[in-house]
Amino acid sequence: MSNPDPSKMKQDCPEKNECLKMLQLILDGEATSEQKDHFLKNHLEECMPCYKNYHLEVAIRQLLKTKCCQDAPQELVDDIKTKVINNLAR
Amino acid sequence: MELEENSPKQNYTEAEKQTIFHGEFMPHINSMYNFAYRLTLDADDAKDLLQDTYLKAYRFIESFQKGTNAKAWLFRILKNSFINDYRKKSKEPSKVDYQEVESYYNSEEVDRQITPDLRVEALKDMIGDEISNALNALDVDFRTVIILCDLEGFKYEEMAKILDIPIGTVRSRLHRARNLLKEKLSEYAKQMGYKTA
Ligand SMILES: [Zn+2]
Ligand SMILES: [Zn+2]
């Protein structure tokens, strides 16, 4: 996606909520390539609310990934392995 | 995917079981821990839930077909264990409350009401626990779909199987969940001094 010219963009989207749903389908990898092409190439560059929504959705996903994933404590991992191995021995 | 019934039982040697356990189950342990932690919101409960799940997975290993989607299979066991063993005793709202919540959030009206005005710049300043707290504050069913989709990258179809709900429900629940998350985040943004238009 290139950088669109804000002055040429619509400031209002009549179907903002439907567009948001489509946007989420696309970002979730669940949209068809036609839906994707139409939305990303045609709609997004001319519609300010949807353009903003796109960047917001992407930013939230990035933030979730960097801030909401924690690894299992190593002690717990070892513990589980040991329990299963003991289980095998029985 | 199925844990007990309708899955053809495999016949594995002890060595094969070990290979599957270490090669296909253990690689998902960090994602599984995170899921357990985000569901229970308690480090000790998460530990127990994870341990129960892995021991259960081992016990039912012959219901798992080698080389299929181990991650989805494990996530489904964990989610079922959570519902059966933890959700009951926790202070989570009951199923009835939840259905009210969901039908409320499924009304089109709410879609129009919830148009959180949140800006990317505000998100960039959320370098602490804001997003984590916002996620944890969501009702567990909304929290779950965000974890499965945005953190773990499951497809809608896989999520439908893990959660035993139709794909349409996955899609709508996810949409509501994201609106609710944005709502929480815009509260933080406001507190941080970002004006909402
Ligand atoms: Zn639009
Ligand atoms: Zn549109």
Side-chain angles (χ1 to χ4, degrees):
Chain A
M1 201 175 46
S2 57
N3 259 336
D5 176 1
S7 65
K8 291 189 184 130
M9 293 171 91
K10 286 188 292 168
Q11 298 303 310
D12 227 16
C13 184
E15 285 164 5
K16 201 171 161 191
N17 196 46
E18 284 314 303
C19 286
L20 180 58
K21 285 180 182 166
M22 176 58 63
L23 197 47
Q24 290 176 345
L25 277 188
I26 292 170
L27 291 172
D28 293 344
E30 302 278 349
T32 66
S33 51
E34 278 169 0
Q35 288 173 316
K36 229 167 123 173
D37 275 7
H38 169 79
F39 194 82
L40 295 181
K41 286 189 190 144
N42 301 326
H43 188 83
L44 214 54
E45 301 206 349
E46 54 181 41
C47 182
M48 190 51 109
C50 291
Y51 182 79
K52 279 186 180 165
N53 263 340
Y54 175 84
H55 288 281
L56 188 62
E57 289 285 319
V58 170
I60 290 175
R61 281 165 168 77
Q62 278 169 353
L63 200 57
L64 279 167
K65 278 207 166 148
T66 48
K67 293 282 178 190
C68 298
C69 293
Q70 50 201 137
D71 285 355
Q74 190 56 45
E75 206 190 308
L76 177 59
V77 176
D78 295 340
D79 214 35
I80 289 172
K81 281 186 188 160
T82 312
K83 286 214 166 93
V84 165
I85 289 165
N86 289 342
N87 223 312
L88 284 169
R90 278 199 269 127
Chain B
M1 261 331 258
E2 301 306 324
L3 185 51
E4 297 96 16
E5 328 89 59
N6 28 336
S7 51
K9 263 227 160 155
Q10 310 293 309
N11 257 312
Y12 297 131
T13 64
E14 289 306 310
E16 276 174 319
K17 286 185 189 176
Q18 281 228 47
T19 308
I20 294 169
F21 191 85
H22 291 283
E24 298 192 52
F25 294 176
M26 288 309 282
H28 302 294
I29 196 136
N30 287 327
S31 293
M32 289 279 283
Y33 175 77
N34 197 51
F35 188 34
Y37 180 73
R38 296 276 162 193
L39 286 177
T40 59
L41 302 179
D42 180 277
D44 286 330
D45 283 347
K47 222 171 112 180
D48 291 344
L49 178 56
L50 188 70
Q51 194 149 292
D52 289 354
T53 304
Y54 267 90
L55 294 181
K56 217 177 269 178
Y58 182 72
R59 211 163 51 237
F60 289 99
I61 203 163
E62 293 191 317
S63 308
F64 174 75
Q65 208 186 328
K66 208 161 50 172
T68 59
N69 193 339
K71 188 175 175 183
W73 191 77
L74 291 168
F75 267 69
R76 186 166 184 272
I77 301 177
L78 194 144
K79 166 249 156 192
N80 285 339
S81 302
F82 171 70
I83 289 175
N84 295 330
D85 304 335
Y86 292 84
R87 199 172 182 172
K88 275 183 210 147
K89 64 182 182 192
S90 73
K91 290 175 219 93
E92 288 288 351
S94 70
K95 201 74 199 162
V96 181
D97 295 336
Y98 166 61
Q99 269 160 5
E100 271 168 35
V101 170
E102 183 155 60
S103 60
Y104 171 71
Y105 282 109
N106 270 329
S107 64
E108 281 299 315
E109 229 171 288
V110 174
D111 263 350
R112 251 167 272 128
Q113 281 168 20
I114 302 179
T115 44
D117 188 57
L118 181 63
R119 277 177 290 154
V120 175
E121 303 85 75
L123 287 181
K124 297 222 162 90
D125 281 346
M126 295 186 186
I127 51 173
D129 294 331
E130 294 91 350
I131 182 96
S132 180
N133 293 340
L135 178 63
N136 291 351
L138 297 183
D139 178 277
V140 68
D141 292 273
F142 291 119
R143 206 189 310 146
T144 299
V145 288
I146 290 193
I147 297 166
L148 296 181
C149 190
D150 294 344
L151 296 182
E152 301 302 337
F154 282 112
K155 308 303 290 177
Y156 292 176
E157 203 187 331
E158 294 170 324
M159 291 170 68
K161 286 180 186 157
I162 293 170
L163 302 174
D164 297 299
I165 55 176
I167 278 198
T169 309
V170 170
R171 204 184 298 125
S172 60
R173 198 178 288 179
L174 202 46
H175 183 69
R176 314 296 147 178
R178 285 173 174 148
N179 274 346
L180 292 167
L181 186 70
K182 280 182 220 167
E183 230 184 19
K184 300 265 180 222
L185 291 174
S186 32
E187 282 168 28
Y188 289 124
K190 236 180 261 172
Q191 286 164 21
M192 291 160 79
Y194 282 93
K195 281 199 201 94
T196 48

